[in-house]
C-alpha cells in the first residue's frame, strides 16, 4: 500500500470513541484520523462493535478503517485473576458466542461501576451512578466515566489523578467479570478475527502476565503484540519486540487515543505496513474505505 503523501503509510490500530470511554463520536474519530494525516485507523472500543456503523458512514475519502474491539480479559493463573486487554480485528460482529460474551462483559462493567459508586458513597463522596450512566451516553461504561464524576465533584484535577492510589487505581478499584483470555483468543479466531495483545508490559497499570503465558497464547492462536504504546517504557517496548520475534508474532504500535480522557494524540505511535498487511490477510471482514 502507498500513503496519501507518498511517504510511509501512517497506521494507528488502537483508538476509542464514545461507543466506550473516548470523547469523540465514531464519526468525529474518523474525521480526526484523516485530519491527523493517518492512512489507516482502527476503531477498538472496549467490548463493543457499536461504533463500527457510524464510523463507516462518516469515513472520509482516503482513510481506511479497520473494524475492531478491545476485549476485557483475565488470566486465572494468579490467585486473584490478572486483567489484560486483547485487541480483536476484522472479526464477524454477529458471531453468536462472541456477541453474547461482549454483552455479558458490558453488563459486568455496569454492575462493577455501580459497586464502585456504592463504595465511594459509603465514604461520603457525592457521586451518582445515574449521572455516570448519563455521562457514558449509551457507550460501554468504564472507570474513565467514574473519573469524570470525580472531576465534576472537584475531588481530582484530571483523569490521571482519578486513577491514583487513593481513588480508582487502588482504594476504589474493584475487579469485573472479564473473559477468560484463552476463551477470548478462541472466540476471536472462531469469528474470523485477529487477536493482538494490547500493552502487554504496561507495568504502570498494575500487574502484568509472564512471558510464558504469552507463549501459551501464541500457541492458542494469538497473532501479535502491541509494543509501541505510551504505557510502555523504552525497555518494555524492546522486550515486547524481542518476545514477538521469538514467538513469530507480529508487532503493532498505536496511540490508544481516548479524546480528552487522555493526553495522547492520534498517530502518536504507529504500526508498520507489514504487520498491518498480515492482519488484513488473516481477518474475515474487509477493511472499510469511503
Ligand atoms: P476499565 O476498563 O473500566 O477497567 O478502565 C480502564 C480504562 O481506564 C483504560 O482503558 C484506560 O482508558 C483508562 N485508564 C487506565 N489507567 C489509567 C491511568 N493511569 N490514567 C488514565 N486513564 C487510565
Ligand atoms: Zn479505555
Ligand atoms: Fe487497554
Ligand atoms: Fe484501549
Amino acid at each position: 500500500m502507498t500513503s496519501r503523501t507518498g511517504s510511509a503509510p501512517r497506521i494507528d490500530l488502537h483508538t476509542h470513541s464514545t461507543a466506550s470511554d473516548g470523547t469523540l463520536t465514531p464519526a468525529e474519530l474518523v474525521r480526526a484520523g484523516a485530519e491527523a494525516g493517518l492512512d489507516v485507523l482502527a476503531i477498538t472500543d472496549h467490548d463493543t462493535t457499536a461504533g463500527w456503523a457510524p464510523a463507516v458512514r462518516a469515513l472520509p475519502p482516503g482513510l481506511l478503517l479497520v473494524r475492531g474491539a478491545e476485549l476485557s480479559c483475565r488470566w486465572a493463573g494468579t490467585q486473584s485473576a490478572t486483567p489484560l486487554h486483547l485487541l480483536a480485528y476484522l472479526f464477524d460482529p454477529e458471531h453468536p458466542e462472541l456477541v453474547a460474551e461482549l454483552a455479558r462483559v458490558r453488563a459486568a462493567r455496569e454492575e462493577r461501576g455501580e459497586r464502585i459508586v456504592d463504595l465511594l458513597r459509603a465514604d461520603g463522596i457525592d457521586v451518582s451512578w445515574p449521572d455516570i450512566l448519563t455521562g457514558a451516553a449509551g457507550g460501554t461504561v468504564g472507570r474513565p466515566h467514574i473519573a469524570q464524576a470525580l472531576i465534576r465533584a472537584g475531588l481530582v484535577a484530571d483523569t490521571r489523578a482519578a486513577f491514583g492510589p487513593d481513588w480508582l487505581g487502588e482504594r476504589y478499584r474493584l475487579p469485573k467479570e472479564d473473559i477468560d483470555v484463552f476463551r477470548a483468543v478462541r472466540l476471536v479466531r472462531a469469528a474470523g478475527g485477529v487477536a493482538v495483545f494490547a500493552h502487554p508490559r504496561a507495568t504502570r497499570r498494575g500487574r502484568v502476565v509472564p512471558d510464558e503465558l504469552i507463549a501459551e497464547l501464541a500457541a492458542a492462536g494469538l497473532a501479535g503484540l502491541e509494543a509501541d504504546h505510551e504505557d510502555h517504557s523504552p525497555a518494555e517496548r524492546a522486550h515486547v519486540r524481542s518476545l514477538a520475534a521469538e514467538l513469530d508474532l507480529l508487532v503493532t504500535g498505536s496511540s490508544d487515543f481516548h479524546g480528552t480522557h487522555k493526553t495522547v494524540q492520534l498517530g502518536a505511535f504507529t504500526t508498520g505496513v507489514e504487520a498491518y498487511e498480515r492482519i488484513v490477510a488473516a481477518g474475515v471482514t474487509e477493511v472499510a474505505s469511503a
Side-chain angles (χ1 to χ4, degrees):
M1 73 176 294
T2 52
S3 84
R4 292 184 280 180
T5 57
S7 49
R10 303 212 337 119
I11 301 168
D12 188 340
L13 292 183
H14 183 171
T15 71
H16 297 265
S17 76
T18 51
S20 63
D21 55 4
T23 58
L24 299 187
T25 64
E28 289 166 346
L29 176 66
V30 290
R31 284 186 221 119
E35 276 160 30
L38 294 174
D39 298 286
V40 181
L41 176 130
I43 181 169
T44 54
D45 279 302
H46 296 285
D47 307 310
T48 185
T49 59
W52 290 12
V56 170
R57 279 198 298 274
L59 200 55
L63 181 67
L64 299 173
L65 180 73
V66 172
R67 283 165 279 197
E70 185 173 19
L71 275 45
S72 303
C73 300
R74 62 176 168 181
W75 175 51
T78 39
Q79 198 175 21
S80 61
T82 302
L84 58 135
H85 289 169
L86 212 61
L87 293 160
Y89 298 114
L90 302 173
F91 58 90
D92 171 9
E94 290 173 1
H95 184 275
E97 263 184 279
L98 186 54
V99 167
E101 198 68 339
L102 295 184
R104 188 192 62 72
V105 174
R106 290 196 303 272
R109 283 174 160 281
E110 297 203 4
E111 186 258 341
R112 173 197 59 160
E114 196 166 7
R115 280 193 294 128
I116 292 175
V117 167
D118 288 345
L119 285 182
L120 288 162
R121 293 182 64 86
D123 284 349
I125 295 152
D126 188 20
V127 286
S128 135
W129 178 241
D131 285 355
I132 289 164
L133 275 183
T134 303
T140 304
V141 178
R143 282 180 289 164
H145 298 115
I146 303 175
Q148 287 306 305
L150 295 173
I151 295 167
R152 284 196 297 271
L155 295 161
V156 295
D158 54 21
T159 307
R160 184 161 296 269
F163 275 88
D166 291 340
W167 299 100
L168 303 172
E170 206 174 299
R171 177 152 181 196
Y172 298 99
R173 179 182 191 149
L174 288 177
K176 58 187 189 310
E177 290 294 313
D178 296 322
I179 314 171
D180 172 79
V181 65
F182 286 95
R183 176 168 162 73
V185 168
R186 272 198 305 275
L187 280 177
V188 170
R189 298 251 299 168
V194 184
V196 172
F197 195 154
H199 44 76
R201 278 272 149 181
T203 47
R204 43 180 279 205
R205 287 178 178 227
R207 232 176 326 135
V208 297
V209 302
D211 290 353
E212 292 70 29
L213 175 77
I214 296 179
E216 285 177 38
L217 291 172
L222 181 74
L225 303 177
E226 187 179 58
D228 292 327
H229 184 285
E230 69 162 352
D231 289 348
H232 283 159
S233 69
E236 287 166 343
R237 288 172 207 180
H239 180 85
V240 172
R241 273 179 199 289
S242 71
L243 185 62
E246 218 175 278
L247 299 171
D248 191 28
L249 296 174
L250 59 88
V251 167
T252 67
S254 30
S255 65
D256 200 357
F257 177 74
H258 278 71
T260 57
H261 282 171
K262 281 190 181 178
T263 53
V264 73
Q265 295 304 308
L266 282 167
F269 300 97
T270 54
T271 296
V273 72
E274 312 77 30
Y276 166 69
E277 283 173 352
R278 269 172 80 177
I279 292 171
V280 172
V284 73
T285 51
E286 298 290 312
V287 172
S289 59

